[in-house]
Amino acid sequence: MAVYRSIVILTGAGISAESGLRTFRAEDGLWEDHPVEQVATPEGFARDPDLVQRFYDERRAQVLAAEPNAAHQALGRLDREFDGDLLLVTQNIDDLHERGGAERVLHMHGEALSAWCRACDARHPWQGSLRDGPACPSCGAVAMRPDIVWFGEMPYQMERIFSALAGADLFVSIGTSGAVYPAAGFVQQAADHGARTLELNLERSAGSHWFDETRLGAASELVPQWVD
Ligand SMILES: CC(C)NC(=O)[C@H](Cc1c[nH]c2ccccc12)NC(=O)[C@H](CCCC/N=C(/NCCC(=O)O)S[C@H]1O[C@H](COP(=O)(O)OP(=O)(O)OC[C@H]2O[C@@H](n3cnc4c(N)ncnc43)[C@H](O)[C@@H]2O)[C@@H](O)[C@H]1O)NC(=O)OCc1ccccc1
């Protein structure tokens, strides 16, 4: 790891699969029994807010019941020991990176354990249900939604991500199918700036051909091997 000055890591649902959190596109994936346009779009929320709140209440409970695995813990070690620039960009809404010891984490698609008040724009750490329309602790309005980036919505902190990609000399992608943009385009941006690019995934992804190297296997084995 010593040779690199600035590392950007992108993670997806695959890194949390071995912690018991379902991925999206596997045959038993989340999108199988929850059509994405119904539960992960602003239109779906407007059409049936109770269905969407119930979906994310379930996800929130699953996240609270899950534990970080060896891949999360290895990235926690890397974050503690690497004194260069490091940004761990995750598409995941779980907090397993933080519970695995990582601090330089950016949730580009939001967080399950956070609620967003549409009336006063405040965000609140949230572990309970949003279904029964709790009042916003800041303004009292009953206008809270999951603090999640849905399809058609702008991901969070894109400027910070683009500038990290522009300065990176190593880009590593872990447990993602490369099916969703803008995250799926990060490897090209990093490569265009001269970074070495490495993919760690259970199977080849839609973006594998963009990487200098792809290692296939379970994250709980590949990530500690790469870090240590
Ligand atoms: C379907 C796709 C074609 N659509 C999009 O990409 C859209 C539209 C779009 C934008 N640009 C485009 C360009 C071309 C085409 C389409 C678009 N994108 C958007 O709408 C985005 C917003 C997208 C975010 C939506 N929210 C999510 N999540 C939060 C919700 C929730 O979590 O409920 S997306 C969701 O799916 C995405 C993909 O999932 P993965 O994490 O990769 O999981 P998946 O199941 O697919 O794959 C798992 C992988 O792990 C591997 N694996 C499994 N087990 C293991 C294991 N044990 N070990 C290792 N690997 C493992 C498997 O092999 C597999 O490869 C993740 O991002 C995830 O967060 N917003 C936007 O574009 O805004 C405007 C904009 C943006 C920038 C600049 C200007 C304007």
Side-chain angles (χ1 to χ4, degrees):
M1 218 61 70
V3 293
Y4 296 106
R5 256 175 330 89
S6 174
I7 302 175
V8 173
I9 299 169
L10 174 70
T11 64
I15 199 170
S16 296
E18 295 162 87
S19 294
L21 296 180
R22 293 164 69 184
T23 64
F24 294 87
R25 286 170 181 73
E27 52 280 349
D28 67 341
L30 276 167
W31 298 151
E32 293 314 306
D33 43 16
H34 301 283
V36 63
E37 56 283 346
Q38 279 185 14
V39 294
T41 62
E43 298 77 19
F45 185 62
R47 216 177 12 254
D48 187 345
D50 186 60
L51 173 76
V52 174
Q53 296 284 27
R54 190 154 17 98
F55 175 66
Y56 285 101
D57 280 1
E58 278 165 29
R59 301 271 300 281
R60 202 169 296 117
Q62 288 153 11
V63 166
L64 290 168
E67 291 301 326
N69 62 56
H72 298 109
Q73 282 142 7
L75 293 180
R77 282 198 302 282
L78 175 67
D79 191 4
R80 277 194 302 281
E81 291 155 15
F82 183 69
D83 51 18
D85 298 338
L86 176 81
L87 185 62
L88 179 44
V89 179
T90 187
Q91 300 167 83
N92 301 342
I93 63 173
D94 64 56
D95 65 341
L96 298 181
H97 280 306
E98 290 87 347
R99 283 196 269 152
E103 287 168 4
R104 293 181 273 184
V105 181
L106 187 162
H107 289 267
M108 72 177 290
H109 291 163
E111 299 177 64
L113 305 181
S114 176
W116 179 16
C117 176
R118 303 305 298 120
C120 72
D121 204 31
R123 282 168 166 86
H124 303 281
W126 205 267
Q127 299 208 349
S129 166
L130 282 176
R131 253 183 103 190
D132 332 326
C136 167
S138 302
C139 73
V142 177
M144 296 220 282
R145 60 163 267 185
D147 185 10
I148 304 285
V149 175
W150 288 325
F151 286 90
E153 295 184 324
M154 172 71 81
Y156 294 157
Q157 303 188 58
M158 288 305 296
E159 292 322 309
R160 190 170 158 219
I161 296 171
F162 285 150
S163 62
L165 289 167
D169 51 14
L170 177 63
F171 174 79
V172 182
S173 174
I174 305 169
T176 185
S177 60
V180 171
Y181 288 79
F186 292 169
V187 58
Q188 291 152 286
Q189 282 162 271
D192 293 351
H193 287 96
R196 173 167 163 61
T197 56
L198 171 65
E199 178 182 41
L200 307 177
N201 214 50
L202 196 62
E203 60 203 341
R204 291 186 65 74
S205 70
S208 289
H209 59 286
W210 290 105
F211 287 86
D212 296 317
E213 181 187 358
T214 290
R215 299 177 193 169
L216 297 181
S220 64
E221 276 144 42
L222 290 180
V223 178
Q225 272 164 23
W226 167 63
V227 168
D228 303 335

